[in-house]
Amino acid sequence: MSGDEASGNTNIELEIYKRLLNFFQAGDYFYFIFNVKNVAFDLVSPQVETILGYAPSSVTIPLFMDCIHPEDRPWFLAFETRTAMFLSELPIQKLMKYKVRYDFRFKKKNGDYIRVLHQVAVVEHDETGGIIRTLGVHTDITHLKREGRPVMSFIGIEGEPSYLDIDVKSKFIENKKILTNREKEILKLLMEGKLSKEVSDILNISKQTVDTHRKNMLRRNSLNNTGELIGKAIKQGWI
């Protein structure tokens, strides 16, 4: 690792710790680092096991999506779409001066649901404004809010204005016909980091069949690679 790389990583860590202080709410919490480029968690804090019952190493994107309450998932997808629009409109120098805040119900390992306050901020981006990593904090606010629909706000940091209770015109309407059942099975395994050969072994189909399904999904949706496919599947709620 070069000196510049080490310095850059240190700066990122310091920024993360400073921003954590802005997230804490009354209640139990855990935090995570989400790698936008890889569409995966780089880190999930140990507190997730105390709060939700899941070991940090078991928390994947498919598990995360499956644990969102069915009635709240359309709101989650709508909020994520609105967030992407908001961040894309910000000047690069302001990307790290906002946090996104909204709530939804999340299923614990024992099957019970709690309401979490989901807060996310950009902690790393490239020179063009492309987001690389975000910091997220989930706080258990069940004791503060038991009923009502999810609400989203954009909170300004360091003097930036805040935008509260953002009006999302309608909940996200999931399109269940974009992928076949087999394609969904394959995509879920790819999201977990499995290689085509591993997917073929799990599903008891040939590697060539897996690759054909993957290529068909890319071609049908005008995408260039598996990373883009996974990213779009999450944002659009395909699985």
Side-chain angles (χ1 to χ4, degrees), residues 83-91 95 131:
T83 296
M85 292 173 56
F86 177 78
L87 294 177
S88 69
E89 294 168 355
L90 286 177
L95 277 176
I131 298 173

Side-chain angles (χ1 to χ4, degrees), residues 167-230:
D167 182 19
V168 178
K169 296 300 182 183
S170 60
K171 294 189 296 182
F172 192 95
I173 305 300
E174 298 183 58
N175 191 333
K176 300 292 187 180
K177 299 181 180 180
I178 294 294
L179 304 177
T180 65
N181 289 335
R182 176 61 84 183
E183 287 172 342
K184 289 180 182 179
E185 290 177 331
I186 291 172
L187 187 54
K188 282 185 177 181
L189 292 171
L190 292 174
M191 290 171 69
E192 293 175 2
K194 300 287 192 301
L195 301 176
S196 291
K197 182 62 171 65
E198 294 175 303
V199 174
S200 70
D201 291 341
I202 293 171
L203 298 180
N204 197 28
I205 57 179
S206 71
K207 178 179 177 298
Q208 182 178 3
T209 298
V210 173
D211 288 336
T212 297
H213 279 298
R214 182 174 55 81
K215 290 176 182 177
N216 286 342
M217 287 187 281
L218 292 173
R219 175 185 51 77
R220 201 163 60 242
N221 295 286
S222 302
L223 301 171
N224 297 314
N225 54 57
T226 303
E228 289 184 7
L229 176 63
I230 291 172

Side-chain angles (χ1 to χ4, degrees), residues 11-23:
N11 288 337
I12 291 171
E13 288 184 12
L14 289 173
E15 190 64 35
I16 287 172
Y17 294 137
K18 285 191 295 183
R19 286 172 181 277
L20 274 171
L21 297 176
N22 291 317
F23 283 110

Side-chain angles (χ1 to χ4, degrees), residues 148-174:
R149 72 168 182 84
V151 176
M152 179 175 69
S153 299
F154 299 130
I155 308 300
I157 302 171
E158 299 177 9
E160 295 299 323
S162 295
Y163 305 93
L164 305 179
D165 298 341
I166 301 298
D167 182 19
V168 178
K169 296 300 182 183
S170 60
K171 294 189 296 182
F172 192 95
I173 305 300
E174 298 183 58

Side-chain angles (χ1 to χ4, degrees), residues 68-130:
I68 298 175
H69 193 288
E71 294 177 2
D72 292 349
R73 184 172 176 175
W75 287 108
F76 173 85
L77 295 169
F79 291 158
E80 286 293 290
T81 300
R82 184 67 184 86
T83 296
M85 292 173 56
F86 177 78
L87 294 177
S88 69
E89 294 168 355
L90 286 177
I92 293 178
Q93 65 270 22
K94 292 189 178 183
L95 277 176
M96 296 173 69
K97 294 186 177 182
Y98 275 93
K99 69 176 180 180
V100 181
R101 183 181 73 192
Y102 55 84
D103 63 279
F104 55 84
R105 288 166 290 178
F106 201 87
K107 185 168 63 176
K108 300 168 61 175
K109 190 174 182 178
N110 66 6
D112 294 338
Y113 280 94
I114 63 172
R115 187 175 294 272
V116 297
L117 183 64
H118 171 90
Q119 300 183 91
V120 173
V122 177
V123 292
E124 186 180 0
H125 60 78
D126 60 28
E127 64 278 2
T128 66

